[in-house]
Amino acid sequence: MHSKSSTIRNHRAATALAALLAGALALTACSGGDDKKKDDGGESGGASGSTVTLPKLDGANLEVAAVWTGTEQANFKKVLAEFEKRTGAKVTFVPAQDPIINFLGSKIAGGQPPDVAMLPQPGAIKQAVEKKWAKPLGAEALKELQKNYSPGWQDIGKVDGKQYGVYYKAANKSLIWYNAKAFANAGAKEPKTWQDLLTAAQAVYDSGVTPFSVGGADGWTLTDWFENVYLSQAGPEKYDQLAQHKIKWTDPSVKQALTTLAQIWGKKDFVAGGADGALQTEFPASVTQTFTGGDQPKAAMVYEGDFAQVNIGDTKAKVGTDAKVFPFPAVGSSAPVVSGGDAAVILKDSKAAQALATFLASPDAATIQAKLGGYLSPNKNVPDSAYPNPVQQTIAKALIASGDDFRFDMSDQAPQAFGGTPGKGEWKDLQDFLKNPKDVAGAQAKLEKDAAAAYGNGS
């Protein structure tokens, strides 16, 4: 049902990946990252290097809906502009709201569906297919996808064996960013294990800086915290079972993960602003407050994926020198590798919509956005040199090196009512748990009640 949450068979490969990432990040963290060496030509697939043939589409109009805002939206519009230039089509970006399925539902009810939507969850792709909104990819898009993507990334865009999604954007969600100056002042070291993380946090706290910034106003950040702890501690098989609701949220493995999380969330003064402050902090602010304020930032560390670089870019901190990163530490026997991503799905079938899906599956499109930073592509034919700094190059290499050995974000695999809706389901239940981390059993009971309702099963 959930296509390929079970793509990972060899957990050792994931561990090797985490080790590769750790080693490479340690190397790259010290180099500043002036990467202007490579021009836009040739195989790096900038505007001049075309690897994909697109039809002439003069007079065609397309609408593309996505929940992206700010820099991310501006950068994606540059990719759409290149498509316009190559085909003659006109493309309009339609800003959508979370949950995007509800947003699309109202558009479709009004007879105004966008031609293409960027869906941030496999669960949303599945719903779009069940509602008969999504249209399968045509031969050209399929060919491009098969040329550029590992089977695991193709599989999570499939429903019932049919290809609907092109994973245009990926995320490596197993990273913790830290303020290098705050760590240095505290004499803290990059942690390898959860225990090391607690030790580093204590050192930072003792130096007079709050250890963690948590963007608790956005429930999805809390689900990502949970997933990394759960995957590392309970292991990949259990992770797949919980992702498909084959085991209950009242399972002892969930109790263990929540109890572990409470070692940070529930420790007085370990979270910037306390629980109340965290619940009023949106994700972008959780990042920027970690990298502003000189020697007295609001916090020394912030957990989230590679895309946090977009927000670090809104401060004066430089990635690789002021803002450094380490892989999410091993809670159990090995460090977790959790990924997320956004897939292009066609809602109104046309030659132009199919051509856009083909373009988004090509290295050409991804290379444009890779150069702009704060973006990661699962497309294995995007050159490493397209990424603007060594840290970003390493994160991209690690994602591609993992092949099919990654786990897709668990809440993104769930029905949106449980895993993707502000103020409801898992997002709300974990916000309540952040507020009261002592009540593990209560949190489990609420999570199970909401999951059972959303999955339509009591199992």
Side-chain angles (χ1 to χ4, degrees):
M1 187 180 82
H2 282 296
S3 68
K4 270 288 170 155
S5 70
S6 51
T7 46
I8 185 169
R9 284 166 299 280
N10 179 352
H11 195 51
R12 273 174 318 189
T15 316
L17 165 67
L20 160 79
L21 183 62
L25 288 177
L27 287 174
T28 54
C30 4
S31 67
D34 173 32
D35 296 277
K36 304 286 186 286
K37 300 174 198 86
K38 189 150 185 147
D39 65 10
D40 272 356
E43 98 284 79
S44 70
S48 54
S50 173
T51 69
V52 63
T53 312
L54 298 169
K56 276 277 156 254
L57 298 166
D58 297 312
N61 284 295
L62 284 175
E63 284 192 342
V64 182
V67 294
W68 298 327
T69 56
T71 316
E72 203 164 26
Q73 184 188 116
N75 291 354
F76 183 58
K77 281 179 173 171
K78 290 178 184 165
V79 177
L80 298 178
E82 176 65 17
F83 177 77
E84 290 181 319
K85 201 170 92 186
R86 291 194 193 184
T87 60
K90 184 164 174 11
V91 187
T92 309
F93 181 90
V94 179
Q97 285 80 44
D98 263 326
I100 194 166
I101 284 289
N102 299 12
F103 171 84
L104 294 174
S106 58
K107 285 290 215 188
I108 287 162
Q112 302 263 291
D115 299 87
V116 174
M118 308 303 288
L119 299 183
Q121 297 99 0
I125 300 178
K126 191 170 173 291
Q127 281 174 282
V129 172
E130 282 167 356
K131 292 173 188 289
K132 306 212 180 338
W133 297 349
K135 308 291 185 277
L137 295 183
E140 288 302 309
L142 274 176
K143 197 174 96 185
E144 199 57 33
L145 193 67
Q146 286 157 3
K147 195 166 80 182
N148 298 315
Y149 288 78
S150 78
W153 280 102
Q154 292 177 49
D155 286 344
I156 47 175
K158 281 180 186 166
V159 178
D160 299 329
K162 243 198 186 102
Q163 192 77 48
Y164 289 92
V166 170
Y167 270 88
Y168 170 70
K169 182 176 190 290
N172 178 333
K173 289 190 162 193
S174 298
L175 302 169
I176 294 179
W177 298 89
Y178 70 97
N179 184 313
K181 193 177 271 174
F183 256 52
N185 290 347
K189 292 185 185 65
E190 288 192 1
K192 296 277 186 286
T193 66
W194 184 260
Q195 195 47 57
D196 294 346
L197 180 66
L198 297 177
T199 304
Q202 188 63 47
V204 165
Y205 174 78
D206 291 343
S207 78
V209 175
T210 304
F212 295 95
S213 175
V214 177
D218 295 313
W220 58 268
T221 59
L222 306 183
T223 70
D224 288 353
W225 265 102
F226 171 82
E227 286 155 10
N228 275 279
V229 169
Y230 189 84
L231 175 58
S232 184
Q233 195 171 54
E237 286 71 31
K238 271 267 182 1
Y239 184 96
D240 292 339
Q241 290 169 349
L242 189 61
Q244 294 167 34
H245 202 221
K246 286 180 176 163
I247 55 173
K248 295 188 180 193
W249 284 79
T250 46
D251 192 83
S253 61
V254 176
K255 177 184 180 177
Q256 195 187 8
L258 292 173
T259 306
T260 301
L261 270 178
Q263 294 177 326
I264 288 174
W265 292 4
K267 194 155 160 64
K268 196 170 153 36
D269 305 330
F270 258 33
V271 173
D276 290 345
L279 288 166
Q280 287 163 39
T281 305
E282 289 179 341
F283 170 67
S286 75
V287 180
T288 52
Q289 72 181 15
T290 308
F291 299 103
T292 47
D295 269 5
Q296 288 296 308
K298 291 244 170 74
M301 287 176 267
V302 62
Y303 156 69
E304 246 324 326
D306 58 280
F307 46 83
Q309 287 180 95
V310 171
N311 310 97
I312 296 170
D314 294 334
T315 71
K316 293 196 174 76
K318 273 190 78 64
V319 168
T321 47
D322 313 307
K324 293 187 181 180
V325 66
F326 54 83
F328 199 96
V331 188
S333 58
S334 57
V337 181
V338 176
S339 69
D342 299 83
V345 174
I346 295 172
L347 303 180
K348 269 167 73 179
D349 206 353
S350 66
K351 187 176 169 183
Q354 289 285 355
L356 181 60
T358 305
F359 182 59
L360 293 177
S362 76
D364 298 19
T367 297
I368 295 166
Q369 197 156 344
K371 289 182 174 180
L372 299 167
Y375 165 85
L376 190 59
S377 170
N379 185 318
K380 59 179 193 260
N381 292 320
V382 174
D384 297 334
S385 60
Y387 293 96
N389 59 58
V391 171
Q392 185 73 14
Q393 288 167 11
T394 300
I395 293 168
K397 260 186 221 160
L399 185 82
I400 299 303
S402 73
D404 295 340
D405 295 322
F406 60 88
R407 274 297 187 283
F408 205 90
D409 183 299
M410 189 190 292
S411 61
D412 287 354
Q413 296 180 50
Q416 285 215 296
F418 181 64
T421 305
K424 279 184 69 179
E426 192 186 355
W427 292 19
K428 172 77 167 75
D429 297 341
L430 288 177
Q431 286 173 324
D432 292 346
F433 179 64
L434 174 62
K435 206 179 289 176
N436 183 15
K438 287 190 177 70
D439 189 14
V440 172
Q444 283 186 273
K446 269 197 286 191
L447 285 158
E448 177 51 34
K449 183 169 169 275
D450 291 338
Y455 283 86
N457 62 14
S459 65

